């Protein structure tokens, strides 16, 4: 379905006008570095919850993971559970309050700075900033792909042009307005996302004759699983894959655990805990964030799987075939084919909101990581200067890198690239972040060791063992003549299950072997 009516143009124009107005408000309220970095630490709980959720759930979840559910089935709903339990409850209740207090006590305005000041290490802050600046463009690139693919499918415009449109719009208000502008626009975009996903679920079940009829039809298609997927352990779209099969390991270790655990150590999410004034605001945000994440992920994964029944009934083909083998096109194809034209307009705004909210946070985080953490604090040793201007320049640079990746990354990459970045963050940051908040005995040496071991063991596993990445990269093939240096089940075990436990062990052992942090510094860090 091609939508190019004047009504569509007016709706998009109004939406963009509101976005830029909110960005302008953020610009007007940004008076000093703390405003630009952590929104002045005065954000309302509702705005926090929707900003966190809209940043967390992007087109990678709706388009990429919805498409993955179209291929792998409803077993992906375990990720929705992990997103709510770990990404909202654990993150807000356990990590959020301690992050807010420690950030305030230490005057930290970024996630790497929180870690660096807790362990009194400019290296930790600089290395963490560099890691984010180098690898987050991969995540931003696939978010761009998700939004651009839907614009391409819906408006019948060139994919490359769609990428540029999204990039220019988001860059305009992020570079000028900082985190205040980002969180204001996130709240609006999160509201649109919630409404759009609610309508998508309702319309899908109406189109397929109700809840029971839809799920029964999908269950009855078990014998239509392609031979290639069946050989990998696929047992049907309403069943988990065969235990221990390659597809089971991909679903459980890479998608469910890789993203479900990695969310806690996401820099662009953790910094939001430092934007509210008290713990009460964090607790209230849980009541909004939980239902929001349930609606976003639960609907996307359910509808993605059900698209198989719809396409088989109408076209005689399963979703992957209809999408030409590109799982990133399953959700756009289903929405444009099955939904009313007016809804397609609404959902296009939903996906624009999802892409823009996540991209804005990613661009802001990448810019502050390079400009503030790497340049000012590590390279310039904390020398005062035009930090905001350097940060804005860093944002522009990382935006360019993200756009280049959006052009060159292969098809069906969204879900896998998301899991790669989340898994890398878990291995590199989670042991150090957990120790910083909950274990006073963790030392600077233990934190540095866990950071380095987690980072490089994760990257090593990706390059030499995990076949999904090792084979396309070709590094192992070039050096050793084989796609992966290990064989069998190891080649489908995600790096998060190997690198993260090793990093935790290293953090504990090295900390116990080194001199404890001075008590006076700990008193400042953990002050109530």
């Amino acid at each position: 379905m091609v939508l190019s009516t004047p009504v569509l143009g007016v709706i998009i124009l109004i939406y963009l006008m509101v976005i830029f107005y909110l960005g302008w408000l953020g610009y007007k309220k940004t008076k000093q570095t703390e405003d630009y970095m952590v929104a002045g630490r005065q954000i309302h709980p509702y705005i926090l919850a929707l900003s966190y959720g809209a940043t967390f759930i992007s087109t990678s979840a709706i388009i990429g993971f919805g498409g993955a559910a179209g291929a792998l089935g409803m077993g992906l709903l375990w990720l929705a559970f992990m997103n709510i339990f770990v990404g909202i409850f654990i993150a807000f209740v356990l990590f959020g309050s301690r992050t807010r207090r420690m950030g305030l006590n230490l005057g930290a305005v970024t996630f790497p700075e929180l870690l660096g000041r807790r362990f009194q290490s400019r290296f930790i802050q600089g290395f963490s900033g560099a890691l984010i600046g180098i690898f987050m463009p991969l995540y931003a690139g696939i978010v761009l792909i998700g939004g651009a693919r839907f614009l391409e499918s819906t408006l019948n415009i060139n994919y490359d042009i769609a990428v540029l449109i999204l990039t220019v719009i988001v860059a305009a208000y992020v570079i000028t307005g900082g985190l205040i502008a980002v969180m204001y626009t996130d709240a609006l975009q999160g509201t649109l996302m919630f409404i759009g996903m609610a309508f998508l679920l309702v319309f899908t079940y109406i189109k397929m004759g109700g809840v029971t009829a839809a799920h029964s039809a999908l269950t009855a298609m078990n014998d239509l699983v392609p031979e290639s997927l069946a050989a990998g352990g696929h047992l049907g779209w309403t069943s988990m894959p065969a235990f221990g099969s390659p597809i089971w390991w991909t679903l459980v270790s890479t998608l469910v655990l890789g993203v479900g655990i990695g969310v806690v150590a996401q820099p662009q999410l953790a910094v939001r805990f430092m934007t509210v004034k008290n713990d009460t605001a964090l607790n209230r945000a849980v009541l909004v964030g939980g239902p929001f994440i349930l609606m976003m992920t639960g609907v996307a994964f359910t509808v993605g799987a059900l698209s198989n029944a719809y396409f088989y009934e109408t076209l005689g083909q399963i979703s992957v075939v209809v999408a030409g083998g590109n799982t990133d096109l399953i959700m756009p194809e289903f929405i444009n084919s099955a939904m009313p034209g007016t809804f397609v307009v609404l959902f296009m705004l939903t996906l624009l909101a999802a892409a823009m909210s996540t991209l804005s946070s990613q661009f802001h985080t990448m810019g502050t990581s390079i400009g503030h953490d790497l340049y000012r604090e590590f390279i310039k040793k904390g020398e005062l200067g035009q930090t905001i201007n350097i940060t804005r320049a860093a944002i522009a640079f990382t935006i360019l890198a993200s756009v280049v990746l959006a052009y060159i990354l292969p098809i069906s990459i969204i879900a896998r690239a998301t899991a790669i970045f989340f898994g890398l963050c878990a291995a590199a940051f989670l042991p150090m972040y957990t120790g910083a908040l909950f274990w006073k005995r963790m030392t600077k040496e233990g934190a540095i060791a866990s950071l380095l071991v987690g980072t490089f063991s994760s990257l090593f596993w990706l390059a030499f063992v995990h076949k999904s990445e090792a084979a396309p990269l070709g590094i192992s093939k070039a050096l050793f003549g084989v796609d992966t240096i290990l064989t069998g089940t190891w080649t489908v075990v995600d790096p998060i299950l190997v690198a993260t436990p090793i990093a935790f062990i290293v953090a504990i052992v090295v900390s116990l072997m080194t001199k404890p942090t001075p008590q006076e510094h700990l008193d400042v860090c953990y002050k109530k």
Side-chain angles (χ1 to χ4, degrees), residues 193 198 389:
M193 290 163 64
N389 290 335

Side-chain angles (χ1 to χ4, degrees), residues 107-166:
V109 295
T110 67
F111 180 67
E113 186 165 63
L114 175 76
L115 300 174
R117 292 193 175 184
R118 160 61 177 86
F119 295 111
Q120 300 175 295
S121 170
R122 291 192 189 277
F123 173 80
I124 287 177
Q125 184 171 353
F127 186 90
S128 299
L131 193 65
I132 294 166
I134 293 170
F135 288 99
M136 190 175 276
L138 171 67
Y139 186 22
I142 55 97
V143 173
L144 275 172
I145 291 173
R149 287 298 182 196
F150 192 80
L151 288 177
E152 174 191 38
S153 177
T154 304
L155 301 180
N156 197 29
I157 62 176
N158 181 269
Y159 168 76
D160 295 342
I161 294 175
V163 169
L164 288 178
I165 290 173
L166 275 178

Side-chain angles (χ1 to χ4, degrees), residues 72-208:
L72 302 179
M74 289 190 178
L76 206 58
L77 285 170
W78 280 107
L79 176 56
F81 168 77
M82 290 290 288
N83 289 159
I84 296 168
F85 180 68
V86 177
I88 297 295
F89 181 75
I90 297 295
F92 275 75
V93 175
L94 296 184
F95 283 78
S97 60
R98 289 173 179 260
T99 300
R100 185 199 67 79
R101 289 197 297 271
M102 187 174 289
L104 182 62
N105 292 340
L106 297 175
V109 295
T110 67
F111 180 67
E113 186 165 63
L114 175 76
L115 300 174
R117 292 193 175 184
R118 160 61 177 86
F119 295 111
Q120 300 175 295
S121 170
R122 291 192 189 277
F123 173 80
I124 287 177
Q125 184 171 353
F127 186 90
S128 299
L131 193 65
I132 294 166
I134 293 170
F135 288 99
M136 190 175 276
L138 171 67
Y139 186 22
I142 55 97
V143 173
L144 275 172
I145 291 173
R149 287 298 182 196
F150 192 80
L151 288 177
E152 174 191 38
S153 177
T154 304
L155 301 180
N156 197 29
I157 62 176
N158 181 269
Y159 168 76
D160 295 342
I161 294 175
V163 169
L164 288 178
I165 290 173
L166 275 178
T167 305
V168 170
I169 292 172
V170 177
Y173 66 83
V174 177
I175 292 176
T176 56
L179 194 57
I180 296 177
V182 169
M183 295 187 75
Y184 280 1
T185 53
D186 282 354
L188 170 66
Q189 291 158 344
T191 303
L192 288 175
M193 290 163 64
F194 189 92
I195 295 171
M197 295 302 280
F199 275 107
L200 176 61
L201 183 66
V202 171
F203 280 133
T204 297
Y205 281 128
I206 291 175
K207 193 77 175 181
M208 301 183 69

Side-chain angles (χ1 to χ4, degrees), residues 369-382 390:
S369 295
I370 295 175
H372 181 77
D373 298 310
L374 178 60
Y375 177 77
R376 175 183 166 176
E377 295 297 327
F378 181 66
I379 296 176
K380 304 295 287 185
K381 306 301 181 184
I390 295 295

